[in-house]
Amino acid sequence: MRYYTLWIAFFFLTVSEYAFSQKLNLKCYQFPDTIPGKYIFDIKKGYDITSNALVEGYKKRDIKRFAEMESYGKQELFTSGYTYLAWDQLETYLNKVLNQTLPDSLKDNTCVHVYLVRDAEYNAFAIHDGSLFFNIGLFADVVNEAGLAIVLAHEFSHYINNDVKTSYLKGLKIYTKKNRNDNTSLLLKHAKYDRASESRADSLGFVLAENGGYDIFYGISNFMQFREIENFEKETQRKSHLVNMAKNDSTEKGNDSTISKSLEDLMSTHPDLSNRISFLNKYINSAKRRSGKQEFIIDKDEFSRFQELAKTEVLNILLTENKFKECIKRSFIYYLLNPDNENYIYYLLESIRRAVYVDSKLKNHGFLTDMFKKHDDKQGILHKLKLIIPDSVKFSKIKDINLIDTANIAFETYDEAFLYFQNIALKKNINECLLTIALYYSENDSLKSKYLKEYCSKDSIKFKDYANNLLNNSLYSSLSQNNREIILLDNISFIEDHFYGYHDRLILAEQKSPSYFNELRKMTSKYFPEKEIIELSELSLRSLRTKMEYEYAILSTTFINSNDGDTKSDVIYFDSDEKPGKLKEFDLFKLNPSYWKLFKNNKLKAISYLKVYSFDDKTKLMKSINVINPYFWYTIIYRFCDAINNGSDRYAHRVLYYSYDISSKKSNFYSETTRYKMSKAYFLNSIYYAIKTNEKIIK
Amino acid sequence: MKKIIILVLMLILTIKTHGQIGFLGKRNVISTDIFNTFFQKKYNLNYNFCIGKGLMLKAAYSLHRYSNTIFLTKENNYYTGNNEVADVSLRGHSWELGFDFGNFLQTNMPMPIGYFMGIAFEHFSGTLNENRTYNNLYAPPTEKKYIFNNKANIFKLIYGRNSYIKYNFIIKTSVDIGMYLGSVIENDPANSEECPLMVLPLSNPKVFRIKYNSNYDKMKKVTFYVMPNISLGYIF
């Protein structure tokens, strides 16, 4: 099982997503309005405890850096909505399973606690203080409670072995100023260490799970799951940049894939899956440990119930995260295994609709095969279902046998797939799908109004107002009275570059940000009185739900920059060589109708997101005061000219500004780096022009 | 001249003017040079107007009230003790026009703030009063007065940085590298057997004493100089 330190999790925070309520058969997760007290931690205390714990062989400075990142990062995991805060039942269940695996001496340890993470990836991780984080995506697909227990025990082993701290401190060397550009050997060394710590955690995890009474044979199924993902990534070219580079290198040299495979293995932070599986097999066989062990100890029914909920939740997350293809793939697999669940049909149709809306060319591509390196453009996945369900046990559980029949292929392209599932949805009377179908045929007025009328005639539907307005072509005119233009202000990041590596000054940011924000408020009230500044950190404490809604609206607006008509979606097109089709106009409300509700309820006219980074290259400090060096004076004119051209040698600050305005239906992304030290005045000036430039482009 | 104007116009047109002009939208700057006021008694008022993100038009007017006492020769011999002293005062004014360029490679700090490079032309006209006194221990002092019209054209290359202080005040630190094309026109040929001092409104006149010119009705001198500037400005 993978564990990542918090800083890696940070990078994914922005793509975590809001689960809106569904009125299908399931009760989906809703964010609480305020963060429950048990998820608010004493950051200062956590920092003091961690920073005062000396680790032999490491400098106090590095330990403080670690403490800063972990203590602030942990709180951020909760305030950012990355962790579930109101799903107590599932969290309690997970903790019961963990408790089952713990040795007696640690059973009542309050430090050790599992939290559930709103992430569709197959992953779990531990942090330094015994908090374990378990992704909902992994929970949705884990085979049984034993498999779950093994993962939790593995993560707990990382905590017991103090792997998080040691790995972080060992890894610091890689990114020092001296090493960061030539760190292959260090990377390899560190990866080797990580693999060793993973193997140790595997061993201890098996022992703990076994002692807890679980059948550790199911650990193999976890590994098989990872192998499936690994194979899928290989087939769809989703490997890391580094591994891809290694592959390209070996290809250029005319070598076969064995070199790239060995490089891949060397770079990997986790042991080879075959080794892990064979190790587990040996462990199981050597002592015939399976006798008397169980698949479920806590509650089988509860597990199944939660897993079913988790699957829908995963689809919900993927859809709102705009990871449409992954959503199509997973909902299709879930549908094959359980065609009676209406949610899977809804998410499948909705994700196809949105994917096609973003990239209209997709309509005629082979259904799901376009994700693979080698594919026939027109041939769908039904020809090779094994590509997405390689596990033969799982394959044998497919219930919709019509779709296994390769002699009589039900559909080939996305368009045909939509039609196929549309008919199923209509047969099953899934009300919400009517809106999806209407929006899919939005170019065809008669079909659109037919399905919209049908949708509006239903009771207890989610987007009645939206559908009525869409039918009357008053979607935007109904919002014409909206006058709020909000700017969501994220925390300022103060990043320093030292000889010992990068340092994100979280404590400094906490101290400095309020005064910067006060000045910003004064500036906006003077120059942009119509704009309303909302601090995200403050809003998350006041109303987390609103904060999440705003953030996800922004996330979707960044999809398309209608300025030049190019689609800019990392999520969808990151791995694709294809150039996406041009969209002249981006309709946020067509992409996701829930945003119309958001704009309507909050009287929003425009929504923007602002993030500022301040960089300080401390390694240049000595260079700039090197006045005793004759070379300094010899090159003074050159230095001055360089300063005119490039600004400060040491400082820079960067402003990111995303915005969407309903009056123009345009989204804009502004990013400028100013190469001067970020004083308050320069900070204000950069933001002033971000807003001004944006207004000019949007209006 | 036409070519120069066209060149300047073309330069202006090539500067990107969309988006960021001025600091916080403020495009005008009024400033005064503290350094030269203090050392040279050059009372100066600058006006700058941003016409692009990296381009600023500059106009300035200065009043020159320079005066100094200069020992032209000085003997330390107690018994003879001859010395020649010149009390020099310069009264004049100058106007200046120029451009400042900044933000060359999209450093993204809109002018008037940030590093910049400028070109400027300054025209000076004024009167030089020179009162020379010859002191001798054994004779009464003799005095001679000269009045010269002094004109100069100065081409400057400026490197500097404007930094924002607070409350819309900025401080400009710069270095002028100048080429001084000066001319001195004598008013009184009767006194012209002595060569006049050429007072550059920027430096010690002793440096620029002009050699005797047989055709002394008009004398010219080309001088290069480097002069620091510290100005206080207000943006609006």
Side-chain angles (χ1 to χ4, degrees):
Chain A
M1 179 49 50
R2 299 167 189 211
Y3 77 94
Y4 291 133
T5 46
L6 274 179
W7 68 274
I8 293 176
F10 262 137
F11 288 101
F12 295 99
L13 283 181
T14 49
V15 291
S16 66
E17 193 49 40
Y18 167 62
F20 51 82
S21 64
Q22 291 290 319
K23 286 192 180 174
L24 296 174
N25 298 332
L26 293 173
K27 288 174 194 169
C28 270
Y29 172 74
Q30 273 208 330
F31 282 98
D33 210 29
T34 52
I35 301 170
K38 62 177 177 175
Y39 297 113
I40 307 257
F41 306 99
D42 188 344
I43 300 173
K44 187 80 180 64
K45 192 180 165 191
Y47 171 76
D48 287 344
I49 292 170
T50 319
S51 61
N52 289 330
L54 284 172
V55 183
E56 213 172 299
Y58 294 102
K59 287 181 179 165
K60 186 83 182 160
R61 175 192 68 204
D62 295 337
I63 296 163
K64 278 188 171 176
R65 256 202 301 168
F66 173 75
E68 186 177 357
M69 184 197 71
E70 289 284 302
S71 51
Y72 280 79
K74 183 183 174 184
Q75 186 61 76
E76 183 71 14
L77 282 171
F78 295 94
T79 53
S80 64
Y82 188 60
T83 311
Y84 286 96
L85 305 174
W87 204 346
D88 288 343
Q89 288 173 322
L90 182 50
E91 195 179 307
T92 311
Y93 174 75
L94 287 174
N95 279 291
K96 277 183 192 168
V97 176
L98 173 70
N99 217 33
Q100 183 69 26
T101 64
L102 293 184
D104 290 342
S105 58
L106 287 167
K107 274 199 194 299
D108 297 321
N109 191 337
T110 50
C111 289
V112 184
H113 193 91
V114 199
Y115 299 98
L116 194 63
V117 172
R118 298 192 63 255
D119 193 330
E121 296 259 324
Y122 296 94
N123 198 10
F125 60 93
I127 62 169
H128 67 295
D129 67 346
S131 304
L132 313 182
F133 294 86
F134 200 93
N135 284 11
I136 190 77
L138 179 58
F139 183 79
D141 286 348
V142 78
V143 279
N144 52 25
E145 201 180 285
L148 175 68
I150 291 163
V151 176
L152 288 170
H154 172 99
E155 294 308 326
F156 175 73
S157 307
H158 279 308
Y159 165 62
I160 288 290
N161 294 335
N162 213 3
D163 284 336
V164 180
K165 190 187 263 186
T166 321
S167 176
Y168 174 84
L169 293 171
K170 274 185 184 292
L172 288 178
K173 227 179 188 180
I174 299 170
Y175 302 104
T176 58
K177 189 90 174 175
K178 184 184 163 195
N179 294 333
R180 72 175 64 129
N181 294 325
D182 183 20
N183 57 9
T184 317
S185 61
L186 285 168
L187 274 172
L188 291 174
K189 204 175 159 187
H190 191 65
K192 194 179 169 185
Y193 170 80
D194 278 345
R195 286 198 297 276
S197 68
E198 286 297 329
S199 298
R200 276 199 306 272
D202 271 352
S203 309
L204 187 56
F206 296 143
V207 173
L208 288 170
E210 190 192 24
N211 290 346
Y214 286 106
D215 186 348
I216 54 167
F217 174 76
Y218 292 99
I220 295 177
S221 62
N222 287 339
F223 291 139
M224 294 305 286
Q225 196 95 30
F226 289 124
R227 175 170 277 180
E228 265 183 37
I229 297 162
E230 207 174 85
N231 289 337
F232 182 77
E233 283 175 345
K234 275 178 197 165
E235 292 293 329
T236 54
Q237 288 181 315
R238 287 188 178 182
K239 274 286 161 192
S240 71
H241 179 60
L242 199 61
V243 173
N244 280 336
M245 267 169 54
K247 273 185 178 177
N248 292 340
D249 267 9
S250 64
T251 325
E252 275 170 24
K253 286 168 192 163
N255 295 333
D256 58 14
S257 60
T258 46
I259 291 177
S260 64
K261 176 78 176 74
S262 58
L263 273 169
E264 206 172 291
D265 291 344
L266 284 171
M267 291 290 185
S268 172
T269 55
H270 288 70
D272 184 49
L273 278 171
S274 314
N275 294 343
R276 293 174 92 173
I277 292 168
S278 65
F279 171 76
L280 180 56
N281 265 327
K282 271 183 204 167
Y283 183 77
I284 294 165
N285 296 333
S286 63
K288 294 185 179 166
R289 288 165 193 271
R290 295 190 64 191
S291 58
K293 303 296 177 189
Q294 296 174 48
E295 274 185 67
F296 292 93
I297 293 175
I298 307 297
D299 195 334
K300 186 179 179 180
D301 294 338
E302 217 172 27
F303 176 84
S304 309
R305 190 170 63 83
F306 284 138
Q307 197 168 50
E308 204 65 15
L309 282 169
K311 281 180 180 170
T312 311
E313 180 61 16
V314 164
L315 297 179
N316 207 352
I317 293 167
L318 287 170
L319 191 67
T320 39
E321 268 183 2
N322 304 317
K323 292 178 177 172
F324 303 134
K325 287 204 182 154
E326 185 63 20
C327 188
I328 295 169
K329 184 193 143 209
R330 286 220 206 170
S331 52
F332 181 59
I333 294 170
Y334 293 159
Y335 169 80
L336 289 173
L337 300 171
N338 183 8
D340 297 330
N341 192 323
E342 294 179 355
N343 292 285
Y344 304 151
I345 301 167
Y346 168 74
Y347 282 109
L348 184 53
L349 280 171
E350 186 61 18
S351 50
I352 294 174
R353 178 189 77 76
R354 293 191 195 180
V356 168
Y357 174 64
V358 174
D359 181 8
S360 53
K361 284 178 189 167
L362 196 68
K363 239 179 181 178
N364 300 319
H365 280 213
F367 181 69
L368 286 177
T369 47
D370 63 319
M371 297 164 87
F372 295 90
K373 275 187 283 184
K374 292 172 187 172
H375 74 280
D376 184 343
D377 267 358
K378 301 285 173 191
Q379 214 172 55
I381 199 73
L382 295 183
H383 292 273
K384 290 173 190 170
L385 261 181
K386 286 255 175 193
L387 278 174
I388 53 167
I389 312 177
D391 183 358
S392 53
V393 179
K394 212 187 233 183
F395 197 87
S396 65
K397 287 179 184 169
I398 292 176
K399 288 182 185 162
D400 191 343
I401 48 167
N402 294 333
L403 298 180
I404 313 174
D405 185 7
T406 47
N408 187 18
I409 298 292
F411 53 81
E412 296 282 7
T413 61
Y414 282 92
D415 196 31
E416 289 167 15
F418 188 88
L419 195 65
Y420 179 85
F421 289 107
Q422 171 194 323
N423 292 332
I424 293 173
L426 293 173
K427 258 185 215 167
K428 285 181 181 269
N429 284 324
I430 309 172
N431 295 343
E432 289 300 330
C433 290
L434 289 169
L435 179 63
T436 303
I437 298 163
L439 287 170
Y440 188 78
Y441 297 114
S442 58
E443 304 296 316
N444 185 332
D445 283 342
S446 61
L447 274 178
K448 185 176 105 178
S449 55
K450 178 191 157 193
Y451 287 114
L452 276 177
K453 276 174 192 165
E454 205 178 330
Y455 180 71
C456 293
S457 66
K458 305 283 180 188
D459 292 328
S460 65
I461 47 170
K462 201 178 158 192
F463 300 107
K464 192 155 196 159
D465 272 0
Y466 172 85
N468 276 322
N469 280 294
L470 187 63
L471 195 60
N472 301 327
N473 281 328
S474 58
L475 214 51
Y476 283 89
S477 58
S478 63
L479 303 178
S480 59
Q481 297 300 312
N482 291 7
N483 55 5
R484 279 182 78 199
E485 296 182 30
I486 58 169
I487 299 176
L488 305 170
L489 192 59
D490 210 340
N491 289 335
I492 305 172
S493 292
F494 290 90
I495 298 163
E496 289 177 358
D497 189 7
H498 294 263
F499 284 109
Y500 58 79
Y502 292 109
H503 187 178
D504 188 356
R505 301 284 304 275
L506 298 167
I507 298 175
L508 184 77
E510 197 187 24
Q511 291 164 350
K512 275 191 164 184
S513 295
S515 60
Y516 276 81
F517 291 163
N518 281 341
E519 292 292 322
L520 180 62
R521 279 178 204 284
K522 281 181 202 165
M523 189 274 279
T524 45
S525 63
K526 187 176 176 186
Y527 296 105
F528 310 101
E530 71 285 359
K531 305 270 183 201
E532 185 185 335
I533 299 278
I534 297 174
E535 274 177 58
L536 282 173
S537 57
E538 184 263 330
L539 184 65
S540 67
L541 297 174
R542 189 159 44 85
S543 175
L544 182 68
R545 194 180 301 161
T546 317
K547 180 223 167 192
M548 298 310 290
E549 284 176 352
Y550 286 161
E551 269 194 2
Y552 300 130
I554 282 291
L555 186 73
S556 292
T557 62
T558 57
F559 244 126
I560 298 163
N561 183 352
S562 59
N563 184 26
D564 56 2
D566 279 341
T567 309
K568 287 183 178 174
S569 161
D570 283 356
V571 184
I572 291 186
Y573 297 107
F574 188 75
D575 298 320
S576 171
D577 294 334
E578 282 177 42
K579 277 252 172 185
K582 283 198 168 184
L583 283 171
K584 283 177 186 169
E585 194 180 72
F586 171 52
D587 192 340
L588 184 69
F589 304 145
K590 197 173 166 186
L591 182 76
N592 188 344
S594 64
Y595 296 139
W596 184 82
K597 263 187 173 179
L598 176 74
F599 274 69
K600 179 93 178 160
N601 294 342
N602 292 288
K603 294 192 167 74
L604 296 180
K605 181 172 173 283
I607 185 165
S608 315
Y609 169 84
L610 181 68
K611 171 85 184 164
V612 180
Y613 296 89
S614 165
F615 300 100
D616 180 1
D617 189 350
K618 292 268 187 190
T619 60
K620 297 278 170 69
L621 179 66
M622 291 306 289
K623 220 174 169 183
S624 59
I625 59 168
N626 194 9
V627 288
I628 51 166
N629 187 349
Y631 183 72
F632 176 86
W633 294 106
Y634 182 69
T635 57
I636 191 81
I637 296 289
Y638 165 75
R639 278 160 190 279
F640 205 93
C641 293
D642 187 48
I644 295 168
N645 279 330
N646 300 321
S648 170
D649 194 23
R650 181 179 155 186
Y651 299 102
H653 61 276
R654 187 170 187 218
V655 173
L656 297 181
Y657 191 77
Y658 303 91
S659 77
Y660 181 77
D661 194 304
I662 54 166
S663 54
S664 61
K665 293 187 202 173
K666 278 180 182 174
S667 70
N668 184 41
F669 170 54
Y670 173 95
S671 164
E672 286 282 20
T673 304
T674 308
R675 296 173 65 102
Y676 285 84
K677 186 179 181 181
M678 193 180 79
S679 66
K680 275 179 198 159
Y682 298 169
F683 163 81
L684 295 179
N685 179 62
S686 299
I687 293 174
Y688 173 87
Y689 282 110
I691 300 172
K692 266 273 188 235
T693 313
N694 181 69
E695 273 183 355
K696 210 168 183 180
I697 290 167
I698 277 195
K699 287 169 183 171
Chain B
M1 193 63 188
K2 271 183 187 174
K3 281 178 187 173
I4 293 169
I5 292 168
I6 290 167
L7 202 71
V8 169
L9 283 173
M10 279 173 71
L11 197 70
I12 293 167
L13 287 172
T14 54
I15 303 286
K16 278 185 185 176
T17 51
H18 76 268
Q20 306 187 11
I21 304 178
F23 186 79
L24 280 166
K26 296 180 174 73
R27 298 168 69 171
N28 303 284
V29 188
I30 281 185
S31 63
T32 182
D33 190 343
I34 309 163
F35 187 86
N36 282 325
T37 305
F38 188 74
F39 289 102
Q40 304 286 343
K41 294 196 177 152
K42 178 184 175 185
Y43 304 100
N44 160 283
L45 193 69
N46 273 293
Y47 171 72
N48 294 56
F49 178 70
C50 301
I51 48 177
K53 186 178 173 182
L55 181 64
M56 199 157 63
L57 190 68
K58 183 166 80 174
Y61 183 79
S62 308
L63 279 176
H64 299 258
R65 293 289 179 269
Y66 183 83
S67 60
N68 199 4
T69 304
I70 301 150
F71 284 92
L72 298 171
T73 56
K74 188 176 180 183
E75 286 182 19
N76 290 323
N77 188 328
Y78 178 78
Y79 297 105
T80 53
N82 291 332
N83 57 41
E84 183 185 358
V85 179
D87 287 320
V88 179
S89 71
L90 184 75
R91 297 281 182 273
H93 62 98
S94 66
W95 54 263
E96 184 181 341
L97 282 175
F99 293 99
D100 288 342
F101 307 95
N103 190 39
F104 281 113
L105 295 178
Q106 299 297 312
T107 50
N108 284 319
M109 183 60 79
M111 296 198 79
I113 306 297
Y115 289 98
F116 66 90
M117 193 177 82
I119 48 168
F121 169 77
E122 185 177 354
H123 179 77
F124 167 78
S125 59
T127 317
L128 174 69
N129 290 297
E130 189 180 337
N131 192 2
R132 292 190 196 180
T133 313
Y134 300 93
N135 291 314
N136 191 305
L137 272 177
Y138 306 105
T142 54
E143 286 188 2
K144 275 189 178 178
K145 286 185 180 178
Y146 302 95
I147 300 168
F148 303 106
N149 281 341
N150 195 337
K151 282 189 178 174
N153 293 324
I154 306 163
F155 292 97
K156 293 182 197 173
L157 197 60
I158 305 150
Y159 289 101
R161 184 185 170 166
N162 290 327
S163 308
Y164 187 89
I165 316 169
K166 226 173 185 185
Y167 308 119
N168 296 338
F169 281 101
I170 61 166
I171 191 148
K172 173 180 161 186
T173 46
S174 65
V175 175
D176 296 0
I177 300 169
M179 187 171 71
Y180 182 97
L181 306 169
S183 63
V184 178
I185 302 154
E186 283 188 63
N187 279 358
D188 186 1
N191 292 327
S192 62
E193 69 271 14
E194 289 291 337
C195 58
L197 290 173
M198 181 164 165
V199 179
L200 201 140
L202 304 158
S203 310
N204 191 331
K206 196 172 177 181
V207 179
F208 298 101
R209 189 176 173 85
I210 299 165
K211 295 284 180 194
Y212 186 80
N213 190 335
S214 57
N215 189 18
Y216 46 78
D217 58 343
K218 197 171 184 180
M219 285 171 281
K220 287 182 181 175
K221 174 94 178 161
V222 176
T223 311
F224 292 92
Y225 70 93
V226 176
M227 175 59 64
N229 275 311
I230 300 169
S231 302
L232 186 70
Y234 182 80
I235 55 173
F236 58 100

